[in-house]
Structure formats: C-alpha cells, structure tokens
Amino acid sequence: MIIATAQDAADLFRPCFADAPQDAETLAIAHLDSGRRLIELVVVPAESRDHVDLPVRRIIEDALRLGAVGLVMAHNHPSGDAQPSWDDIESTREIAETAARLGIRLHDHLIFAGEEFQSLRAMGLL
C-alpha cells in the first residue's frame, strides 16, 4: 500500500479507530519506505480520554529498527472534535524535527473524530 495523500492515510488508519475504545485516545503510526510504501503499521493502545502520548523515543526507535524513511501518524479525539490541540501541534513538531535530524520525514499527522479527520499538513501546521 502506498500512502501518497492524506486520504490514502485516512483509509489506512480509519479501521484502527473504528475498533478503538470510545473513551480514550489511540495513536497509530505508519512506517514508510522511500516510495511511501507501508512497511508496518504500529498501534499504541489508548491510555487517556483527553490526551494521547506521542512517545518520541519509541516512534523514532521503531522507525530506525524498521528502516523507515517516512512516517504518518494519526490519533483519535473521542470528544468528537477533530481540530488539533496546542499539545497535538507542539508534539507533532517535536517529532518532525527529531525525525528529520535522522533522515526520517514526518509526512502528516491526522486527527480523527468519528468519520471526520483533519490533516495537520493540509492545515499548514506541519
């Protein structure tokens, strides 16, 4: 599977959140090769209703272990509002900067609320 657009990513991630607990945020990371082909999809279990931990170290370690040169992240907002929070934006930028130093590009971060999603890249936030 090639993840070339936000819609491609949404199609990949949507099932991850359809089965996720409705009372907590869940994180999913798509690790990509140089052709933006999916290497592996990692789902980090939900821990909190109103906050998703973006574990920089784990995300980067997994990318290096898998030989990924690209990432797309996604998480859900059980609140029903797909707008990114300030923490979402800052954490995403931190991951993008850290990954870039190692030659890994964060292509996008999607936030889902039900069937709706927002792309931080499309919003100009990444």
Side-chain angles (χ1 to χ4, degrees):
M1 170 177 233
I2 296 175
I3 309 299
T5 67
Q7 187 60 56
D8 294 338
D11 293 343
L12 171 68
F13 289 124
R14 192 167 276 114
C16 297
F17 304 117
D19 297 332
Q22 296 303 307
D23 61 346
E25 293 189 10
T26 297
L27 171 67
I29 304 107
H31 296 271
L32 309 174
D33 69 11
S34 60
R36 293 179 78 159
R37 288 179 294 272
L38 181 64
I39 296 170
E40 186 168 317
L41 178 62
V42 175
V43 178
V44 179
E47 293 183 11
S48 170
R49 173 167 172 66
D50 58 358
H51 175 76
V52 66
D53 181 32
L54 297 180
V56 177
R57 181 183 203 110
R58 177 180 174 180
I59 291 168
I60 300 301
E61 284 177 350
D62 285 350
L64 293 171
R65 178 180 52 81
L66 294 165
V69 296
L71 300 170
V72 179
M73 301 186 322
H75 78 278
N76 65 319
H77 279 179
S79 67
D81 182 1
Q83 292 300 311
S85 69
W86 178 253
D87 285 341
D88 292 336
I89 296 165
E90 288 302 307
S91 297
T92 300
R93 288 179 178 161
E94 179 185 353
I95 290 168
E97 290 168 6
T98 303
R101 289 187 200 109
L102 297 170
I104 302 166
R105 179 166 187 225
L106 178 59
H107 293 286
D108 209 341
H109 183 171
L110 305 181
I111 300 175
F112 284 81
E115 289 298 311
E116 178 187 351
F117 74 91
Q118 292 289 332
S119 157
L120 271 69
R121 171 90 42 206
M123 296 174 78
L125 299 172
L126 181 64

